[in-house]
Amino acid sequence: MRRLTHLVHALGLFVFCAMAYAGPPVEGAMEKQSTNWHAIIMFCIFVALSMGITYWASSRTKTTSDFYTAGGGITGLQNGLAIAGDYMSAATLLGLTALVYGKGFDGYLYMLSFFAGWPIILFLMAERLRNLGRFTFSDITAFRLDQGKVRTMAAISSLVVVCFYLIAQMVGAGQLIKLLFGLDYNIAIFGVGILMMVYVTLGGMVATTWVQIIKACMLLSGGTLAMLLAFSQFGFSFHTLMEKATAVHTLGFKLMTPGGLLSNPINAISLGLGLMFGTAGLPHILMRFFTVTDAKEARKSVLYASGFVAYFFNVIFLMGLCAILIVGQNPEFFEGGTVGGKLIGGGNMVAMHLAKAVGGDMLLGFMAAVAFATILAVVSGLALAGASAISHDIYARVIKKGTASEASEIRASKIATICLGFVAIILGILFEKQNVAFMVGLAFGVAAAANFPVLILSMFWKGLTTRGALFGGYGGLLSAVAFVVLSKSVWVDVLGYKEALFPFTQPALFAMPIAFLLAYIFSKSDSSARAKSEISAFDDQYIRGQTGFGASGASKH
């Protein structure tokens, strides 16, 4: 088994190092890229580093607690960095920079909506999440309800959210490697999926956490350096930057005023609700609260993560504005050398072009390695969250009814990870042309409607019953997915129909009330003996949620 582990590590490293030399650059879809050896070397160094961490973690991942939650021994600061790393994904670095580059202040409003969910988690959820849960947020929703039915519902909604979020990460990864090495997009997507499978299958949460921490530090330092080098060209004067950017941008002065994002107030409100409450429903974020030692460290985690994320959003905003002048006015970064035409590598590559413009190939190489680290770590966290929903909730608790051994549960999780890897590859290919920040917005919208209502009601409302949770959870999930599929982003852009059946692009404003209403109606109308026992069991849950009495402790490492 040990020899097999060594072989898998070596194969994973070989695949990605070989990708730097595989095949001729793509013609037509994008201009031929000259070989950037700085980027290739840093890229391969990071892959080697991540494999080293995975190898180290594999020897420390022996139990289900180690695999899912790193044994619960992560400190608040470490977990805060890891949560920030999970949150500062490909959509943050690539998608939001591109959004500010194209839409200006609208991009900043988008970021504010992303950030607004953290106070909800800090003040309402962090402590109870740690005290009530063990491995997944399904542990909380099913705490006093029917284990089989509620866990199945929570696992299904988790998997749907994970799949939506995976789209953004895989698209960003494919475009990044395509730009870096001139590889075909589909080959790049396949390579990322394979490496993710190797990484999660062998390293579990221990590897995921430490690569997230390292990646977050790299991202914060690399983004700050790129921003400072770009901002220095304007004398660190925001006023000067604004004057020059508004003078050359097609939006003119409207660049710094609310525009298209708020042109439809219903879309804007729905987007804000989705991003705000979706944060509190993301499975890979919620899972992180079970990796710390106690509720106090859980609160610290949110506080640290909020600070890191707020700082980086402002860095991204300045990078996007500087790119309007430094990238947008330089023919070197446009296909055919036509300023204002199509950017080489696509619109999501603005941050990479800015790095090359202000720091040359060396900074581009570092930022490319950071971007890939971001994507790999987030994809791995998503895969782990999805795999835990399948193995811990469905296999161990529903199918085996709590009788599964730790070895068989970990084996089921690894099989689920491989399956999710292939799903991620297929989704990445299908959604190649979508803006990654927009796709994350859809994932947040589904999380806000499918996961958040049942989760918050299970923690705070005594009257929730199994029947109410099932109707609320499935109702929110199905309505959110239906609204997304029938909207322009899928019905027109992906499926090719002429006109969308649902006129809005974000589902949260419509799907969230459906979830809450169904949960309330079907809980209130449930007068069964089981419902009465579930309501009376809330007092025990409340005491544990407030005090942590009976919660699992950290493992000693």
Side-chain angles (χ1 to χ4, degrees), residues 360-411:
D361 286 344
M362 184 68 77
L363 185 57
L364 171 61
F366 180 76
M367 290 296 288
V370 167
F372 179 74
T374 298
I375 292 164
L376 175 61
V378 174
V379 165
S380 299
L382 287 166
L384 189 57
S388 67
I390 295 172
S391 59
H392 177 65
D393 294 322
I394 295 179
Y395 172 75
R397 300 293 175 177
V398 177
I399 297 176
K400 291 293 185 178
K401 300 187 185 303
T403 63
S405 65
E406 289 198 345
S408 65
E409 187 173 338
I410 291 176
R411 183 167 60 250

Side-chain angles (χ1 to χ4, degrees), residues 213-225:
I213 291 170
I214 294 170
K215 184 260 322 198
C217 294
M218 292 172 62
L219 187 62
L220 289 167
S221 58
T224 300
L225 178 60

Side-chain angles (χ1 to χ4, degrees), residues 260-274 502-510:
L261 187 65
L262 297 180
S263 60
N264 186 326
I266 295 179
N267 258 338
I269 294 171
S270 189
L271 172 64
L273 288 174
F502 180 66
F504 307 105
T505 57
Q506 296 295 333
L509 179 61
F510 308 94

Side-chain angles (χ1 to χ4, degrees), residues 74-77 79 292-302:
I74 306 299
T75 67
L77 176 58
N79 200 43
V292 292
T293 54
D294 53 36
K296 179 181 178 182
E297 294 301 311
R299 292 193 300 271
K300 282 185 180 180
S301 299
V302 185

Side-chain angles (χ1 to χ4, degrees), residues 67 348 385 527 555:
F67 189 84
N348 289 318
S527 58
S555 300

